[in-house]
Amino acid sequence: MKYDFAVIGAGPAGYIAAKKAASAGKKVLLVEKKKLGGVCLNEGCVPSKTLLQAAKTYRHAKHGSIFGVEVEGVRFDFPKAHQHKNNVMNKMRDGIAGLMKKYKVDIVEGEAKLLPNFPIEIEGETHEATDILLCTGSSPAIPPIPGVDLEHVVDSTGILDRETLPNHLVVVGGGVIGCEFACMYASVGVQVTVLEAMPEICPNLDPEVSASLRDGLTKKGVTFNLGAKVESISADKVSYADDSGSNELEADLVLVATGRRPNTKNLGLEELGLDIDDRGGVRVDNRGATNIPGLWAAGDVTGQAWLAHAASRMAEVVVNNITGRKDHMRYDSMPAVVYTSPEVAVVGLTKEEAEARGIKVKVGRIPMAINARYIAENPDETGFCKVILEADTRKLLGVHMVGGACSEMIFGATAMLETELREEEIEEIVFPHPTTSEIIKDVFMAVR
Ligand code: NAI
């Protein structure tokens, strides 16, 4: 069959691109070798956030007495939480299938391989397309640590299938994935230790945000060993080296969360001469175009951003360019969230990033605890909101928050950044009272 647009991979880049191109009148093929929704829906964002919510609900019930809620004999039923997780995933998959049907996207199940001049081979059948979007996602990058293939050692996919709680979970890697699972397991009473090779967890965040997240998770019962490089894993122990020398921890479940790598193998890309960068990602310009005309890429396969919402936006940019609307990626206004308790939500530059670009900045910072709604709802949490402005123009450059459910507020700051608002324009925006979002208005009072 001959298509206008073929999409390889049905994750948050693929299904968004397919729907958008089809609604613009293109004849669209969507190829998927596993399940609709990709890693985000089946092995990542959606199941992990559902389990995190289950753990949060348990913790709230257990610690509800400050609100006057006394619950006798509260207990956590992990298999039931998994059932809810599976129901959510099924519902969302049905939703995507319905969307594709509505927009008359042809879905083919199978593994696609690209041949020169754009025939696409899927399980022995060949299709053609004028433009192709490669959005095959990423997989956990497993370091060559001896013992990493033992049965009790899992990656971020494997841990989602475990329905029994361990006694001691050791997490290798204090990045976003490591922190989210550490929070989930610690919240339901499991002993959790995170071993992070760097001097701080989530090293890509504002350093004060990382430190505050670590404090918050420590209060939830997570132990962090920083500067700890894992050397080997045995049936019941994890061996690591830090400043004090060689150490060992007992563990009956080990999560390896040391980053991800783009999925570029077995697609015929080498034969096509596709440009791959040093970190294994498909090299694209800011429209998503590769070095081969008509071949585009979006999402984790590019090795950029590693975020589901970034993948969807990259896909929209590609489709806009194919359908005649100029568009490009703007990573400086890409929000990022860590869905722990407390949550982290950030958008834009940190002070350090802005200064490295030679920009003179002004910084404002206020504790979340000045906000009435926040302390009413989060009696045991601290956290803060920090804003970065360009010194001369007072243009907003970044907002960095830790505390409560700040994931639900970062969209407001993202819209301000995307529309390049300045302090005086933000002052004119009315925030409903009492809401935690008022913190984003009040933080400007503290700019120095
Ligand atoms: P990451 O790159 O965020 O963190 C991995 C950490 O492991 C690093 O801090 C690294 O220093 C440490 N590490 C590496 N080797 C080690 C060793 N041998 N011993 C101890 N520590 C070691 O990777 P992560 O957490 O696996 O996440 C992968 C990607 O997925 C990230 O880019 C993340 O942003 C994205 N993601 C985003 C989510 C969100 O937006 N909420 C949720 C989950 C993943």
Side-chain angles (χ1 to χ4, degrees), residues 49 143 145 172-178 180 195-198 200 202-204 228-230 257-260 305-307 309 336-339:
K49 266 85 258 183
I145 298 171
V172 184
V176 181
I177 293 180
E180 288 185 351
L195 300 174
E196 166 55 51
M198 303 290 280
E200 184 55 278
C202 296
N204 296 333
K229 192 146 193 323
V230 173
T258 52
R260 301 183 65 85
W306 307 103
L307 298 163
H309 49 271
V337 171
V338 190
Y339 295 87

PDB file of all heavy atoms in Angstrom, residues 49 143 145 172-178 180 195-198 200 202-204 228-230 257-260 305-307 309 336-339, ligand 1:
ATOM      1  N   LYS A  49       2.871   6.096  37.684  1.00  0.00           N
ATOM      2  CA  LYS A  49       2.124   7.137  38.401  1.00  0.00           C
ATOM      3  C   LYS A  49       0.883   6.562  39.082  1.00  0.00           C
ATOM      4  O   LYS A  49       0.464   7.033  40.135  1.00  0.00           O
ATOM      5  CB  LYS A  49       1.737   8.265  37.451  1.00  0.00           C
ATOM      6  CG  LYS A  49       2.729   9.410  37.445  1.00  0.00           C
ATOM      7  CD  LYS A  49       3.908   9.217  36.526  1.00  0.00           C
ATOM      8  CE  LYS A  49       5.182   8.812  37.159  1.00  0.00           C
ATOM      9  NZ  LYS A  49       6.317   8.700  36.247  1.00  0.00           N
ATOM     10  N   PRO A 143      23.874  -1.248  32.825  1.00  0.00           N
ATOM     11  CA  PRO A 143      25.346  -1.227  32.874  1.00  0.00           C
ATOM     12  C   PRO A 143      25.902  -2.640  33.066  1.00  0.00           C
ATOM     13  O   PRO A 143      25.216  -3.519  33.610  1.00  0.00           O
ATOM     14  CB  PRO A 143      25.650  -0.343  34.084  1.00  0.00           C
ATOM     15  CG  PRO A 143      24.433  -0.414  34.931  1.00  0.00           C
ATOM     16  CD  PRO A 143      23.270  -0.709  34.043  1.00  0.00           C
ATOM     17  N   ILE A 145      27.274  -4.516  35.102  1.00  0.00           N
ATOM     18  CA  ILE A 145      27.617  -4.830  36.497  1.00  0.00           C
ATOM     19  C   ILE A 145      27.471  -6.347  36.676  1.00  0.00           C
ATOM     20  O   ILE A 145      26.410  -6.896  36.354  1.00  0.00           O
ATOM     21  CB  ILE A 145      26.665  -4.091  37.466  1.00  0.00           C
ATOM     22  CG1 ILE A 145      26.797  -2.570  37.307  1.00  0.00           C
ATOM     23  CG2 ILE A 145      26.918  -4.484  38.913  1.00  0.00           C
ATOM     24  CD1 ILE A 145      25.741  -1.783  38.080  1.00  0.00           C
ATOM     25  N   VAL A 172      19.681   1.205  42.228  1.00  0.00           N
ATOM     26  CA  VAL A 172      20.963   1.637  41.660  1.00  0.00           C
ATOM     27  C   VAL A 172      20.666   2.808  40.733  1.00  0.00           C
ATOM     28  O   VAL A 172      20.041   2.632  39.681  1.00  0.00           O
ATOM     29  CB  VAL A 172      21.643   0.491  40.871  1.00  0.00           C
ATOM     30  CG1 VAL A 172      23.017   0.937  40.382  1.00  0.00           C
ATOM     31  CG2 VAL A 172      21.740  -0.764  41.719  1.00  0.00           C
ATOM     32  N   GLY A 173      21.076   4.017  41.124  1.00  0.00           N
ATOM     33  CA  GLY A 173      20.826   5.210  40.323  1.00  0.00           C
ATOM     34  C   GLY A 173      19.773   6.099  40.959  1.00  0.00           C
ATOM     35  O   GLY A 173      18.620   5.706  41.099  1.00  0.00           O
ATOM     36  N   GLY A 174      20.185   7.307  41.348  1.00  0.00           N
ATOM     37  CA  GLY A 174      19.259   8.253  41.988  1.00  0.00           C
ATOM     38  C   GLY A 174      18.761   9.295  41.003  1.00  0.00           C
ATOM     39  O   GLY A 174      18.694  10.482  41.320  1.00  0.00           O
ATOM     40  N   GLY A 175      18.401   8.851  39.795  1.00  0.00           N
ATOM     41  CA  GLY A 175      17.785   9.761  38.816  1.00  0.00           C
ATOM     42  C   GLY A 175      16.280   9.777  39.023  1.00  0.00           C
ATOM     43  O   GLY A 175      15.770   9.394  40.085  1.00  0.00           O
ATOM     44  N   VAL A 176      15.565  10.212  37.988  1.00  0.00           N
ATOM     45  CA  VAL A 176      14.116  10.367  38.113  1.00  0.00           C
ATOM     46  C   VAL A 176      13.433   9.022  38.398  1.00  0.00           C
ATOM     47  O   VAL A 176      12.612   8.902  39.311  1.00  0.00           O
ATOM     48  CB  VAL A 176      13.540  11.005  36.828  1.00  0.00           C
ATOM     49  CG1 VAL A 176      12.042  11.196  36.956  1.00  0.00           C
ATOM     50  CG2 VAL A 176      14.219  12.325  36.552  1.00  0.00           C
ATOM     51  N   ILE A 177      13.790   8.001  37.631  1.00  0.00           N
ATOM     52  CA  ILE A 177      13.149   6.691  37.804  1.00  0.00           C
ATOM     53  C   ILE A 177      13.461   6.137  39.191  1.00  0.00           C
ATOM     54  O   ILE A 177      12.571   5.667  39.905  1.00  0.00           O
ATOM     55  CB  ILE A 177      13.597   5.711  36.695  1.00  0.00           C
ATOM     56  CG1 ILE A 177      13.046   6.184  35.339  1.00  0.00           C
ATOM     57  CG2 ILE A 177      13.154   4.280  37.017  1.00  0.00           C
ATOM     58  CD1 ILE A 177      13.400   5.308  34.156  1.00  0.00           C
ATOM     59  N   GLY A 178      14.727   6.195  39.585  1.00  0.00           N
ATOM     60  CA  GLY A 178      15.145   5.685  40.896  1.00  0.00           C
ATOM     61  C   GLY A 178      14.379   6.366  42.019  1.00  0.00           C
ATOM     62  O   GLY A 178      13.871   5.703  42.933  1.00  0.00           O
ATOM     63  N   GLU A 180      11.448   7.987  41.885  1.00  0.00           N
ATOM     64  CA  GLU A 180      10.002   7.719  41.892  1.00  0.00           C
ATOM     65  C   GLU A 180       9.703   6.343  42.504  1.00  0.00           C
ATOM     66  O   GLU A 180       8.796   6.206  43.329  1.00  0.00           O
ATOM     67  CB  GLU A 180       9.438   7.840  40.470  1.00  0.00           C
ATOM     68  CG  GLU A 180       9.390   9.293  40.007  1.00  0.00           C
ATOM     69  CD  GLU A 180       8.737   9.512  38.645  1.00  0.00           C
ATOM     70  OE1 GLU A 180       8.441   8.524  37.935  1.00  0.00           O
ATOM     71  OE2 GLU A 180       8.553  10.674  38.288  1.00  0.00           O
ATOM     72  N   LEU A 195      21.505   3.993  45.824  1.00  0.00           N
ATOM     73  CA  LEU A 195      22.938   4.158  45.645  1.00  0.00           C
ATOM     74  C   LEU A 195      23.159   5.015  44.398  1.00  0.00           C
ATOM     75  O   LEU A 195      22.799   4.610  43.291  1.00  0.00           O
ATOM     76  CB  LEU A 195      23.609   2.790  45.462  1.00  0.00           C
ATOM     77  CG  LEU A 195      23.428   1.816  46.624  1.00  0.00           C
ATOM     78  CD1 LEU A 195      24.003   0.449  46.277  1.00  0.00           C
ATOM     79  CD2 LEU A 195      24.086   2.362  47.890  1.00  0.00           C
ATOM     80  N   GLU A 196      23.682   6.208  44.583  1.00  0.00           N
ATOM     81  CA  GLU A 196      23.869   7.132  43.456  1.00  0.00           C
ATOM     82  C   GLU A 196      25.362   7.443  43.312  1.00  0.00           C
ATOM     83  O   GLU A 196      26.017   7.832  44.274  1.00  0.00           O
ATOM     84  CB  GLU A 196      23.055   8.417  43.696  1.00  0.00           C
ATOM     85  CG  GLU A 196      23.412   9.586  42.797  1.00  0.00           C
ATOM     86  CD  GLU A 196      23.344   9.285  41.288  1.00  0.00           C
ATOM     87  OE1 GLU A 196      22.315   8.773  40.828  1.00  0.00           O
ATOM     88  OE2 GLU A 196      24.335   9.558  40.582  1.00  0.00           O
ATOM     89  N   ALA A 197      25.890   7.275  42.092  1.00  0.00           N
ATOM     90  CA  ALA A 197      27.331   7.448  41.848  1.00  0.00           C
ATOM     91  C   ALA A 197      27.783   8.904  41.980  1.00  0.00           C
ATOM     92  O   ALA A 197      28.901   9.179  42.390  1.00  0.00           O
ATOM     93  CB  ALA A 197      27.673   6.918  40.454  1.00  0.00           C
ATOM     94  N   MET A 198      26.876   9.843  41.653  1.00  0.00           N
ATOM     95  CA  MET A 198      27.253  11.269  41.675  1.00  0.00           C
ATOM     96  C   MET A 198      27.117  11.823  43.104  1.00  0.00           C
ATOM     97  O   MET A 198      26.497  11.191  43.952  1.00  0.00           O
ATOM     98  CB  MET A 198      26.338  12.066  40.734  1.00  0.00           C
ATOM     99  CG  MET A 198      26.340  11.588  39.303  1.00  0.00           C
ATOM    100  SD  MET A 198      27.878  11.917  38.445  1.00  0.00           S
ATOM    101  CE  MET A 198      27.641  13.634  38.054  1.00  0.00           C
ATOM    102  N   GLU A 200      25.159  14.096  44.109  1.00  0.00           N
ATOM    103  CA  GLU A 200      23.778  14.485  44.413  1.00  0.00           C
ATOM    104  C   GLU A 200      22.825  13.709  43.517  1.00  0.00           C
ATOM    105  O   GLU A 200      23.202  13.285  42.422  1.00  0.00           O
ATOM    106  CB  GLU A 200      23.605  16.003  44.193  1.00  0.00           C
ATOM    107  CG  GLU A 200      22.245  16.571  44.554  1.00  0.00           C
ATOM    108  CD  GLU A 200      21.807  16.265  45.987  1.00  0.00           C
ATOM    109  OE1 GLU A 200      21.285  15.143  46.218  1.00  0.00           O
ATOM    110  OE2 GLU A 200      21.976  17.141  46.859  1.00  0.00           O
ATOM    111  N   CYS A 202      19.443  13.286  41.075  1.00  0.00           N
ATOM    112  CA  CYS A 202      18.890  14.075  39.950  1.00  0.00           C
ATOM    113  C   CYS A 202      19.810  15.237  39.591  1.00  0.00           C
ATOM    114  O   CYS A 202      19.441  16.422  39.721  1.00  0.00           O
ATOM    115  CB  CYS A 202      17.490  14.591  40.290  1.00  0.00           C
ATOM    116  SG  CYS A 202      16.299  13.262  40.523  1.00  0.00           S
ATOM    117  N   PRO A 203      21.040  14.924  39.162  1.00  0.00           N
ATOM    118  CA  PRO A 203      22.030  15.981  38.962  1.00  0.00           C
ATOM    119  C   PRO A 203      21.671  17.013  37.884  1.00  0.00           C
ATOM    120  O   PRO A 203      22.289  18.071  37.838  1.00  0.00           O
ATOM    121  CB  PRO A 203      23.317  15.220  38.575  1.00  0.00           C
ATOM    122  CG  PRO A 203      22.964  13.778  38.475  1.00  0.00           C
ATOM    123  CD  PRO A 203      21.556  13.577  38.891  1.00  0.00           C
ATOM    124  N   ASN A 204      20.666  16.744  37.072  1.00  0.00           N
ATOM    125  CA  ASN A 204      20.307  17.730  36.033  1.00  0.00           C
ATOM    126  C   ASN A 204      19.393  18.839  36.537  1.00  0.00           C
ATOM    127  O   ASN A 204      19.136  19.792  35.824  1.00  0.00           O
ATOM    128  CB  ASN A 204      19.613  17.040  34.844  1.00  0.00           C
ATOM    129  CG  ASN A 204      20.556  16.084  34.159  1.00  0.00           C
ATOM    130  OD1 ASN A 204      21.773  16.281  34.205  1.00  0.00           O
ATOM    131  ND2 ASN A 204      20.019  15.048  33.556  1.00  0.00           N
ATOM    132  N   ALA A 228      28.239   6.701  45.502  1.00  0.00           N
ATOM    133  CA  ALA A 228      28.337   5.240  45.688  1.00  0.00           C
ATOM    134  C   ALA A 228      28.209   4.543  44.342  1.00  0.00           C
ATOM    135  O   ALA A 228      27.150   4.589  43.715  1.00  0.00           O
ATOM    136  CB  ALA A 228      27.225   4.767  46.620  1.00  0.00           C
ATOM    137  N   LYS A 229      29.288   3.937  43.899  1.00  0.00           N
ATOM    138  CA  LYS A 229      29.274   3.274  42.595  1.00  0.00           C
ATOM    139  C   LYS A 229      29.100   1.771  42.805  1.00  0.00           C
ATOM    140  O   LYS A 229      29.897   1.132  43.490  1.00  0.00           O
ATOM    141  CB  LYS A 229      30.592   3.579  41.868  1.00  0.00           C
ATOM    142  CG  LYS A 229      30.558   3.195  40.433  1.00  0.00           C
ATOM    143  CD  LYS A 229      31.363   4.141  39.557  1.00  0.00           C
ATOM    144  CE  LYS A 229      31.090   3.940  38.082  1.00  0.00           C
ATOM    145  NZ  LYS A 229      30.879   2.637  37.575  1.00  0.00           N
ATOM    146  N   VAL A 230      28.038   1.235  42.230  1.00  0.00           N
ATOM    147  CA  VAL A 230      27.745  -0.193  42.415  1.00  0.00           C
ATOM    148  C   VAL A 230      28.716  -1.016  41.578  1.00  0.00           C
ATOM    149  O   VAL A 230      28.923  -0.755  40.393  1.00  0.00           O
ATOM    150  CB  VAL A 230      26.286  -0.495  42.032  1.00  0.00           C
ATOM    151  CG1 VAL A 230      26.008  -1.981  42.059  1.00  0.00           C
ATOM    152  CG2 VAL A 230      25.356   0.230  42.993  1.00  0.00           C
ATOM    153  N   ALA A 257      18.343   1.584  37.675  1.00  0.00           N
ATOM    154  CA  ALA A 257      17.746   2.752  37.001  1.00  0.00           C
ATOM    155  C   ALA A 257      18.867   3.724  36.670  1.00  0.00           C
ATOM    156  O   ALA A 257      19.024   4.771  37.304  1.00  0.00           O
ATOM    157  CB  ALA A 257      16.701   3.392  37.912  1.00  0.00           C
ATOM    158  N   THR A 258      19.668   3.344  35.699  1.00  0.00           N
ATOM    159  CA  THR A 258      20.883   4.115  35.394  1.00  0.00           C
ATOM    160  C   THR A 258      20.811   4.774  34.014  1.00  0.00           C
ATOM    161  O   THR A 258      21.818   4.970  33.366  1.00  0.00           O
ATOM    162  CB  THR A 258      22.121   3.199  35.483  1.00  0.00           C
ATOM    163  OG1 THR A 258      21.876   2.036  34.671  1.00  0.00           O
ATOM    164  CG2 THR A 258      22.404   2.769  36.898  1.00  0.00           C
ATOM    165  N   GLY A 259      19.610   5.088  33.579  1.00  0.00           N
ATOM    166  CA  GLY A 259      19.442   5.798  32.307  1.00  0.00           C
ATOM    167  C   GLY A 259      18.823   4.919  31.236  1.00  0.00           C
ATOM    168  O   GLY A 259      18.543   3.741  31.463  1.00  0.00           O
ATOM    169  N   ARG A 260      18.565   5.526  30.065  1.00  0.00           N
ATOM    170  CA  ARG A 260      17.937   4.814  28.958  1.00  0.00           C
ATOM    171  C   ARG A 260      18.766   5.004  27.693  1.00  0.00           C
ATOM    172  O   ARG A 260      19.605   5.896  27.630  1.00  0.00           O
ATOM    173  CB  ARG A 260      16.498   5.333  28.746  1.00  0.00           C
ATOM    174  CG  ARG A 260      15.623   5.166  29.971  1.00  0.00           C
ATOM    175  CD  ARG A 260      14.197   5.615  29.720  1.00  0.00           C
ATOM    176  NE  ARG A 260      13.500   4.802  28.742  1.00  0.00           N
ATOM    177  CZ  ARG A 260      12.869   3.655  29.004  1.00  0.00           C
ATOM    178  NH1 ARG A 260      12.832   3.194  30.239  1.00  0.00           N
ATOM    179  NH2 ARG A 260      12.274   2.969  28.057  1.00  0.00           N
ATOM    180  N   ALA A 305      15.661  15.069  25.540  1.00  0.00           N
ATOM    181  CA  ALA A 305      14.578  15.346  26.515  1.00  0.00           C
ATOM    182  C   ALA A 305      14.078  14.123  27.297  1.00  0.00           C
ATOM    183  O   ALA A 305      13.835  14.229  28.482  1.00  0.00           O
ATOM    184  CB  ALA A 305      13.401  16.051  25.862  1.00  0.00           C
ATOM    185  N   TRP A 306      13.916  12.948  26.673  1.00  0.00           N
ATOM    186  CA  TRP A 306      13.466  11.744  27.381  1.00  0.00           C
ATOM    187  C   TRP A 306      12.186  11.978  28.165  1.00  0.00           C
ATOM    188  O   TRP A 306      12.067  11.552  29.321  1.00  0.00           O
ATOM    189  CB  TRP A 306      14.538  11.235  28.365  1.00  0.00           C
ATOM    190  CG  TRP A 306      15.886  11.006  27.814  1.00  0.00           C
ATOM    191  CD1 TRP A 306      16.963  11.814  27.969  1.00  0.00           C
ATOM    192  CD2 TRP A 306      16.346   9.882  27.027  1.00  0.00           C
ATOM    193  NE1 TRP A 306      18.051  11.287  27.321  1.00  0.00           N
ATOM    194  CE2 TRP A 306      17.700  10.094  26.737  1.00  0.00           C
ATOM    195  CE3 TRP A 306      15.720   8.720  26.544  1.00  0.00           C
ATOM    196  CZ2 TRP A 306      18.452   9.206  25.993  1.00  0.00           C
ATOM    197  CZ3 TRP A 306      16.474   7.838  25.804  1.00  0.00           C
ATOM    198  CH2 TRP A 306      17.822   8.083  25.543  1.00  0.00           C
ATOM    199  N   LEU A 307      11.247  12.669  27.584  1.00  0.00           N
ATOM    200  CA  LEU A 307       9.989  12.963  28.272  1.00  0.00           C
ATOM    201  C   LEU A 307       8.846  12.696  27.313  1.00  0.00           C
ATOM    202  O   LEU A 307       8.922  13.082  26.136  1.00  0.00           O
ATOM    203  CB  LEU A 307       9.937  14.443  28.700  1.00  0.00           C
ATOM    204  CG  LEU A 307      11.001  14.905  29.688  1.00  0.00           C
ATOM    205  CD1 LEU A 307      11.089  16.423  29.702  1.00  0.00           C
ATOM    206  CD2 LEU A 307      10.692  14.376  31.079  1.00  0.00           C
ATOM    207  N   HIS A 309       5.882  14.077  27.100  1.00  0.00           N
ATOM    208  CA  HIS A 309       5.274  15.292  26.527  1.00  0.00           C
ATOM    209  C   HIS A 309       6.199  15.956  25.523  1.00  0.00           C
ATOM    210  O   HIS A 309       5.745  16.587  24.571  1.00  0.00           O
ATOM    211  CB  HIS A 309       4.832  16.265  27.631  1.00  0.00           C
ATOM    212  CG  HIS A 309       5.875  16.545  28.671  1.00  0.00           C
ATOM    213  ND1 HIS A 309       6.025  15.788  29.802  1.00  0.00           N
ATOM    214  CD2 HIS A 309       6.839  17.486  28.740  1.00  0.00           C
ATOM    215  CE1 HIS A 309       7.009  16.279  30.538  1.00  0.00           C
ATOM    216  NE2 HIS A 309       7.524  17.297  29.900  1.00  0.00           N
ATOM    217  N   ALA A 336       9.452  19.759  33.190  1.00  0.00           N
ATOM    218  CA  ALA A 336       9.829  18.407  33.637  1.00  0.00           C
ATOM    219  C   ALA A 336       9.332  18.219  35.057  1.00  0.00           C
ATOM    220  O   ALA A 336       9.329  19.174  35.853  1.00  0.00           O
ATOM    221  CB  ALA A 336      11.343  18.226  33.583  1.00  0.00           C
ATOM    222  N   VAL A 337       8.909  17.004  35.351  1.00  0.00           N
ATOM    223  CA  VAL A 337       8.316  16.719  36.665  1.00  0.00           C
ATOM    224  C   VAL A 337       8.906  15.437  37.228  1.00  0.00           C
ATOM    225  O   VAL A 337       9.164  14.491  36.493  1.00  0.00           O
ATOM    226  CB  VAL A 337       6.772  16.560  36.525  1.00  0.00           C
ATOM    227  CG1 VAL A 337       6.164  16.047  37.815  1.00  0.00           C
ATOM    228  CG2 VAL A 337       6.117  17.869  36.109  1.00  0.00           C
ATOM    229  N   VAL A 338       9.132  15.413  38.531  1.00  0.00           N
ATOM    230  CA  VAL A 338       9.428  14.156  39.225  1.00  0.00           C
ATOM    231  C   VAL A 338       8.224  13.906  40.122  1.00  0.00           C
ATOM    232  O   VAL A 338       7.890  14.742  40.976  1.00  0.00           O
ATOM    233  CB  VAL A 338      10.723  14.248  40.074  1.00  0.00           C
ATOM    234  CG1 VAL A 338      11.128  12.861  40.565  1.00  0.00           C
ATOM    235  CG2 VAL A 338      11.867  14.892  39.296  1.00  0.00           C
ATOM    236  N   TYR A 339       7.548  12.751  39.915  1.00  0.00           N
ATOM    237  CA  TYR A 339       6.249  12.517  40.562  1.00  0.00           C
ATOM    238  C   TYR A 339       6.380  11.849  41.932  1.00  0.00           C
ATOM    239  O   TYR A 339       5.673  10.905  42.248  1.00  0.00           O
ATOM    240  CB  TYR A 339       5.350  11.701  39.643  1.00  0.00           C
ATOM    241  CG  TYR A 339       4.986  12.447  38.385  1.00  0.00           C
ATOM    242  CD1 TYR A 339       5.811  12.391  37.272  1.00  0.00           C
ATOM    243  CD2 TYR A 339       3.839  13.231  38.320  1.00  0.00           C
ATOM    244  CE1 TYR A 339       5.493  13.093  36.115  1.00  0.00           C
ATOM    245  CE2 TYR A 339       3.512  13.934  37.172  1.00  0.00           C
ATOM    246  CZ  TYR A 339       4.353  13.864  36.076  1.00  0.00           C
ATOM    247  OH  TYR A 339       4.047  14.565  34.932  1.00  0.00           O
TER     248      TYR A 339
HETATM  249  P1  NAI B   1      18.842   9.287  34.876  1.00  0.00           P
HETATM  250  O1  NAI B   1      19.840   9.562  33.825  1.00  0.00           O
HETATM  251  O2  NAI B   1      17.853  10.328  35.240  1.00  0.00           O
HETATM  252  O3  NAI B   1      19.573   8.842  36.229  1.00  0.00           O
HETATM  253  C1  NAI B   1      20.448   7.753  36.312  1.00  0.00           C
HETATM  254  C2  NAI B   1      21.344   7.949  37.522  1.00  0.00           C
HETATM  255  O4  NAI B   1      22.085   6.739  37.736  1.00  0.00           O
HETATM  256  C3  NAI B   1      22.356   9.055  37.343  1.00  0.00           C
HETATM  257  O5  NAI B   1      22.193  10.001  38.382  1.00  0.00           O
HETATM  258  C4  NAI B   1      23.706   8.313  37.403  1.00  0.00           C
HETATM  259  O6  NAI B   1      24.708   9.082  38.022  1.00  0.00           O
HETATM  260  C5  NAI B   1      23.377   7.069  38.206  1.00  0.00           C
HETATM  261  N1  NAI B   1      24.266   5.909  37.954  1.00  0.00           N
HETATM  262  C6  NAI B   1      24.686   5.430  36.756  1.00  0.00           C
HETATM  263  N2  NAI B   1      25.457   4.327  36.928  1.00  0.00           N
HETATM  264  C7  NAI B   1      25.517   4.077  38.273  1.00  0.00           C
HETATM  265  C8  NAI B   1      26.124   3.060  39.095  1.00  0.00           C
HETATM  266  N3  NAI B   1      26.828   2.056  38.574  1.00  0.00           N
HETATM  267  N4  NAI B   1      25.980   3.135  40.446  1.00  0.00           N
HETATM  268  C9  NAI B   1      25.235   4.137  40.993  1.00  0.00           C
HETATM  269  N5  NAI B   1      24.631   5.105  40.266  1.00  0.00           N
HETATM  270  C10 NAI B   1      24.755   5.086  38.917  1.00  0.00           C
HETATM  271  O7  NAI B   1      18.105   7.922  34.396  1.00  0.00           O
HETATM  272  P2  NAI B   1      16.767   7.221  34.857  1.00  0.00           P
HETATM  273  O8  NAI B   1      16.363   7.620  36.219  1.00  0.00           O
HETATM  274  O9  NAI B   1      16.999   5.779  34.574  1.00  0.00           O
HETATM  275  O10 NAI B   1      15.694   7.801  33.834  1.00  0.00           O
HETATM  276  C11 NAI B   1      15.883   7.666  32.417  1.00  0.00           C
HETATM  277  C12 NAI B   1      15.246   8.814  31.692  1.00  0.00           C
HETATM  278  O11 NAI B   1      13.832   8.711  31.738  1.00  0.00           O
HETATM  279  C13 NAI B   1      15.631  10.138  32.303  1.00  0.00           C
HETATM  280  O12 NAI B   1      16.106  11.020  31.312  1.00  0.00           O
HETATM  281  C14 NAI B   1      14.353  10.661  32.904  1.00  0.00           C
HETATM  282  O13 NAI B   1      14.248  12.073  32.821  1.00  0.00           O
HETATM  283  C15 NAI B   1      13.268   9.961  32.083  1.00  0.00           C
HETATM  284  N6  NAI B   1      12.097   9.776  32.928  1.00  0.00           N
HETATM  285  C16 NAI B   1      11.311  10.833  33.227  1.00  0.00           C
HETATM  286  C17 NAI B   1      10.269  10.706  34.092  1.00  0.00           C
HETATM  287  C18 NAI B   1       9.450  11.888  34.429  1.00  0.00           C
HETATM  288  O14 NAI B   1       9.433  12.839  33.654  1.00  0.00           O
HETATM  289  N7  NAI B   1       8.790  11.915  35.567  1.00  0.00           N
HETATM  290  C19 NAI B   1       9.931   9.438  34.730  1.00  0.00           C
HETATM  291  C20 NAI B   1      10.845   8.396  34.378  1.00  0.00           C
HETATM  292  C21 NAI B   1      11.871   8.573  33.514  1.00  0.00           C
END
